[in-house]
Amino acid sequence: MNALLALPQTEDEAPSQAEAAYRQLRDKLIMLEIRPGEPINEGQLAAELGFGRTPVREAIKRLEVDHLAVSYPRRGTFATNVDFTELADVSEIRELLEPLAARRAAKRASESMRRELLRVAEAIAELGPGQAESRELMRYDLMVHRLIYKAAANPHLESTLIRYDNLATRIWCVVLDKVPSVSGHITEHVDLLKAVADGDADKAAELALHHVTSFEETIRKVL
C-alpha cells in the first residue's frame, strides 16, 4: 500500500461549504481536471460536487482573484489560460518567500508538527520508482508545500505562498508529459522536511531556494 495515502490534511478539516467548494474547484484547475480555456459551468459543477449554486458562485469569485478563472460579460466563466511568460514573475516571488517560510517553519513549528514533517519525509523516502504516477506525485508536492507553509505559523505568508505555488504547479502540470521524471523533484522534499523538523533554519531556507530554482530550470528546458 502506498505510504503516502495516509498523509495529513494541510488545511482545516471542517470547512464551510463555500470553502470546501473553493478548495475542490481550485485543485481541479491546478491539476488540469478543468483544462485551461475550458468553460466553468456553475450549475454543472454544483451538481457534480454536491453543493448549492451559492457556494460554487462564491468559490468562482475567489478563483478569479487567484488568476485561475476569468469571467467575460455575456460569454461566461472560463479556466484561465496558462501564460508561460508569467513563470519568471511567479518564480521571483517564490524565490524570496519559500526560503522565508522554510526558515520560519524550522524555528516555529510545534513538536507535533515536527513529528508530522518527519513522518511525511519517511513516507516520501519509501516511494519506489514508478510507484506513483506523475500527476499523483504533483498532488504530494502540493501537500508538502502547504504543510511547510502551515508550519511557518504566519497565515498571511501561508495564503500568499499557496496562491503562487498553485500557479507554479499548474504550469508544471501543463508540461508534465514533456518532463522525463518528476520523482526527483518530489524526493527533494525529504531533506527539506528533515531540515525543517530538525530546526535547521539555514539549511531549510537553502534547500527551499534550490527547490524553487530547479523547478524553473526544469520547466524552461522543456518549453
Side-chain angles (χ1 to χ4, degrees), residues 49-79:
L49 299 175
F51 296 114
R53 281 179 174 265
T54 299
V56 172
R57 189 177 300 121
E58 291 177 13
I60 290 171
K61 288 179 182 177
R62 290 178 62 185
L63 292 165
E64 291 184 55
V65 175
D66 291 344
H67 303 288
L68 293 171
V70 59
S71 294
Y72 300 102
R74 297 180 296 279
R75 286 183 57 197
T77 303
F78 300 82

Side-chain angles (χ1 to χ4, degrees), residues 28-150:
K28 281 180 175 290
L29 288 160
I30 295 166
M31 301 306 299
L32 307 189
E33 292 175 25
I34 301 174
R35 302 286 302 179
E38 198 171 288
I40 298 175
N41 186 297
E42 183 183 298
Q44 181 180 331
L45 283 170
E48 178 185 334
L49 299 175
F51 296 114
R53 281 179 174 265
T54 299
V56 172
R57 189 177 300 121
E58 291 177 13
I60 290 171
K61 288 179 182 177
R62 290 178 62 185
L63 292 165
E64 291 184 55
V65 175
D66 291 344
H67 303 288
L68 293 171
V70 59
S71 294
Y72 300 102
R74 297 180 296 279
R75 286 183 57 197
T77 303
F78 300 82
T80 54
N81 289 313
V82 173
D83 184 355
F84 291 108
T85 63
E86 293 182 349
L87 177 61
D89 293 337
V90 171
S91 295
E92 182 179 35
I93 295 167
R94 293 183 72 219
E95 285 168 11
L96 291 172
L97 297 186
E98 291 277 357
L100 173 62
R103 183 181 294 278
R104 281 184 59 92
K107 292 179 177 179
R108 296 171 181 262
S110 65
E111 287 305 312
S112 61
M113 177 63 80
R114 292 181 196 277
R115 289 193 296 271
E116 198 65 71
L117 293 168
L118 286 174
R119 187 174 77 84
V120 172
E122 289 170 4
I124 294 173
E126 289 173 4
L127 274 177
Q131 193 171 339
E133 296 294 330
S134 293
R135 202 162 297 279
E136 186 184 359
L137 287 172
M138 292 312 300
R139 293 185 188 279
Y140 301 146
D141 182 78
L142 277 173
M143 184 276 301
V144 168
H145 281 279
R146 290 172 186 175
L147 191 62
I148 291 174
Y149 305 155
K150 190 177 187 68

Side-chain angles (χ1 to χ4, degrees), residues 191-207:
D191 288 341
L192 173 57
L193 289 165
K194 287 181 177 179
V196 173
D198 291 343
D200 191 336
D202 290 340
K203 185 176 181 181
E206 179 185 344
L207 290 171

